[in-house]
Amino acid sequence: EPEVTQTPSHQVTQMGQEVILRCVPISNHLYFYWYRQILGQKVEFLVSFYNNEISEKSEIFDDQFSVERPDGSNFTLKIRSTKLEDSAMYFCASSVREGNQPQHFGDGTRLSIL
Amino acid sequence: QQQVKQSPQSLIVQKGGISIINCAYENTAFDYFPWYQQFPGKGPALLIAIRPDVSEKKEGRFTISFNKSAKQFSLHIMDSQPGDSATYFCAAGIQGAQKLVFGQGTRLTINP
């Protein structure tokens, strides 16, 4: 069964450094998402991406965050200057279409900011 | 108004019993209600989903009950097994939008 793949599984970064989280969505999916989950808390929406542009974003997704689809398979989340509170699990998801369509999640990247 | 409230926070059920997790929402624009199962170290995996035009959906041992007037929906796991021990999240989405709004999660433990 096709799956969403995320790398790395764990990223440790010094505060203030830039970090790039990578995702390979399911190949025939057109909508891509990033969510985060702070330890012990609920999953929170960050951003959705379609047709090479952001289609929706939350208030968490401020100017420190950016997303990109640099080629036909990868989808990345960049945090420019990491803060301690950015420490969380970051999940990539993809879906065939928007709206009421199943979103398939990767296993996440654990980001630890020191 | 975008919140989804989930209860209980944790639940312990004996093997073979029925596990029930409840969610409530305020925004009547929500029209898609999935449940996700998450094992430690893994991402959320879609378990079952319902739309508001039906009151119940069953897939194997998993059933969603939906009460549109009360703005509540619940997950029932029949004949609960130790392998069902995981964290369960309800979520809600809106037609034409992209994001899912998640509940706080329920840590389910099935005792053998």
Side-chain angles (χ1 to χ4, degrees), chain A residues 31 33 35 37 40-45 48-49 55-56 89 91 98-108, chain B residues 3-4 9 31-32 36 38 41-46 51 89 93-105:
Chain A
Y31 291 82
Y33 315 84
Y35 290 81
Q37 184 179 30
Q41 298 186 24
K42 66 179 178 180
V43 177
E44 299 175 289
F45 170 81
S48 60
F49 190 86
S55 47
E56 190 173 352
M89 282 291 288
F91 292 107
E98 65 177 358
N100 300 345
Q101 298 300 322
Q103 293 184 17
H104 298 267
F105 284 73
D107 286 339
Chain B
Q3 285 189 342
V4 176
Q9 192 171 7
D31 57 3
Y32 173 64
Y36 282 84
Q38 185 180 33
K42 294 291 188 179
L46 180 66
R51 305 183 196 284
F89 291 95
I94 299 174
Q95 178 71 35
Q98 283 87 49
K99 74 176 183 183
L100 290 176
V101 179
F102 281 80
Q104 294 90 334

Side-chain angles (χ1 to χ4, degrees), chain A residues 21-75:
Chain A
L21 310 182
R22 303 180 190 281
C23 168
V24 179
I26 294 173
S27 62
N28 64 332
H29 286 189
L30 301 178
Y31 291 82
F32 315 115
Y33 315 84
W34 284 101
Y35 290 81
R36 80 172 184 190
Q37 184 179 30
I38 295 172
L39 186 62
Q41 298 186 24
K42 66 179 178 180
V43 177
E44 299 175 289
F45 170 81
L46 292 179
V47 66
S48 60
F49 190 86
Y50 168 72
N51 199 25
N52 280 322
E53 59 183 29
I54 291 173
S55 47
E56 190 173 352
K57 62 182 181 179
S58 71
E59 61 265 19
I60 302 169
F61 194 88
D62 61 22
D63 292 343
Q64 294 298 312
F65 292 88
S66 63
V67 290
E68 190 178 32
R69 187 157 166 82
D71 54 44
S73 59
N74 290 284
F75 179 51

